Amino acid sequence: IGRFTVRFLPNKMQKFFQDYGIRVPARQADPIVVLPVWRGPEANQMWEENFWRKAWLDLKGEQGIVPIIVPLGDLEDTETLTVEDALHNDPVKLEAIRKRYGSPSLLVAQAQAAEGGLHVYIEGETKLGKVSFNKIFKPEDGNVEGQAPLATQEFQKELIEVYKERMAKIAAAEEAAKEANKSKSLAVAVPFSSPREWNAIRSRILTTPNVIGVDLSTLSGEGAVIRLMFTRTLEELQGN
């Protein structure tokens, strides 16, 4: 009985997925610190042990595609930030927690019992853009606490989908740019009446944006046929 960590060859796996039209992010997103706040009927809790904080800890989101960091709740944390500070978005104290855990983003994840279910409210700015998660999870068996893990998993899933979409757009843009910068060639007839005119025309062609070379195919007293090498699109070449 044991635990195994399997690491695949990244380049080969990326090609394997691409052959099936699947885009998988090759790197993690920037981490997000999440402060779970339980708004109870008697008191609000953030560092104390409660089922809402436990659900986030059990998520073990630190190694996900979008890493989710739940603060330790040790002496330094509790002295830096109180639950009321978090609920009132105290900028100085929230910034101190964010910096301590080395994350560019921090979110306060609030939950409370409402309408026979668990009302979860998470809103704020992150590197992935604005987050707005406002849902009520209603249990069939009446167990509100049992909805906490489902809520954290759904929130994590939404973050991952947003990140995948963003990375897919970036990859598509990079692929388009790479394709546009590939060298292309075109046979072109260049009429002229003298060697001097030919040299002038050739010089102007070589200084045209996106033209990377001119190969002479045939030359006569009336003109030449050249192989014109260029990048980008034919339409851009014509315009240039």
Side-chain angles (χ1 to χ4, degrees), residues 102-119:
S103 167
S105 308
L106 181 146
L107 295 171
V108 177
Q110 303 180 47
Q112 63 184 14
E115 300 180 27
L118 182 70
H119 182 197

Side-chain angles (χ1 to χ4, degrees), residues 169-238:
K169 288 179 182 177
I170 292 173
E174 289 175 349
E175 192 66 31
K178 191 186 297 183
E179 187 65 30
N181 288 321
K182 278 185 179 178
S183 174
K184 307 173 184 69
S185 67
L186 184 69
V188 180
V190 184
F192 55 81
S193 57
S194 69
R196 183 176 180 179
E197 186 182 3
W198 157 241
N199 287 332
I201 293 172
R202 182 177 181 277
S203 178
R204 288 174 62 191
I205 292 173
L206 286 171
T207 57
T208 301
N210 300 332
V211 171
I212 58 175
V214 170
D215 280 348
L216 186 63
S217 298
T218 61
L219 181 66
S220 70
E222 297 179 350
V225 174
I226 62 171
R227 176 62 59 178
L228 184 63
M229 286 162 289
F230 63 97
T231 58
R232 311 295 295 179
T233 66
L234 181 59
E235 289 74 18
E236 287 179 87
L237 176 68
Q238 289 172 325

Side-chain angles (χ1 to χ4, degrees), residues 106-205:
L106 181 146
L107 295 171
V108 177
Q110 303 180 47
Q112 63 184 14
E115 300 180 27
L118 182 70
H119 182 197
V120 178
Y121 176 73
I122 308 171
E123 187 171 274
E125 292 290 339
T126 71
K127 286 289 186 179
L128 296 177
K130 184 176 177 61
V131 170
S132 184
F133 188 85
N134 191 347
K135 296 184 179 181
I136 295 177
F137 296 83
K138 292 187 176 182
E140 294 181 0
D141 58 2
N143 180 15
V144 173
E145 294 188 12
Q147 298 303 294
L150 297 176
T152 60
Q153 290 163 18
E154 185 163 332
F155 176 73
Q156 182 187 46
K157 183 180 177 181
E158 287 195 11
L159 285 182
I160 291 172
E161 288 304 314
V162 169
Y163 180 62
K164 283 183 175 180
E165 287 176 11
R166 172 168 289 193
M167 294 305 291
K169 288 179 182 177
I170 292 173
E174 289 175 349
E175 192 66 31
K178 191 186 297 183
E179 187 65 30
N181 288 321
K182 278 185 179 178
S183 174
K184 307 173 184 69
S185 67
L186 184 69
V188 180
V190 184
F192 55 81
S193 57
S194 69
R196 183 176 180 179
E197 186 182 3
W198 157 241
N199 287 332
I201 293 172
R202 182 177 181 277
S203 178
R204 288 174 62 191
I205 292 173

Side-chain angles (χ1 to χ4, degrees), residues 11 13-14 20 32 36 39 60 62 66-68 93 188 193 209 216 224 229:
N11 294 336
M13 290 307 298
Q14 285 288 346
Y20 284 91
I32 298 174
R39 304 189 72 139
K60 301 186 186 302
E62 298 88 349
V66 182
I68 294 175
K93 295 181 178 181
V188 180
S193 57
L216 186 63
M229 286 162 289

Side-chain angles (χ1 to χ4, degrees), residues 20-125:
Y20 284 91
I22 301 170
R23 290 193 179 276
V24 179
R27 60 182 183 272
Q28 286 180 308
D30 291 317
I32 298 174
V33 171
V34 172
L35 289 166
V37 173
W38 168 245
R39 304 189 72 139
E42 298 177 358
N44 299 322
Q45 295 182 338
M46 181 170 62
W47 302 123
E48 298 85 354
E49 289 187 15
N50 58 73
F51 72 91
W52 181 234
R53 177 174 170 80
K54 183 178 183 302
W56 285 98
L57 291 170
D58 290 346
L59 184 64
K60 301 186 186 302
E62 298 88 349
Q63 296 303 320
I65 294 178
V66 182
I68 294 175
I69 300 172
V70 181
L72 298 171
D74 58 9
L75 185 61
E76 185 173 344
D77 283 345
T78 56
E79 288 184 344
T80 301
L81 186 74
T82 68
V83 65
E84 297 307 321
D85 293 331
L87 290 174
H88 288 95
N89 289 316
D90 186 303
V92 175
K93 295 181 178 181
L94 288 174
E95 179 70 2
I97 292 290
R98 183 193 69 76
K99 283 185 175 179
R100 185 188 182 196
Y101 289 93
S103 167
S105 308
L106 181 146
L107 295 171
V108 177
Q110 303 180 47
Q112 63 184 14
E115 300 180 27
L118 182 70
H119 182 197
V120 178
Y121 176 73
I122 308 171
E123 187 171 274
E125 292 290 339

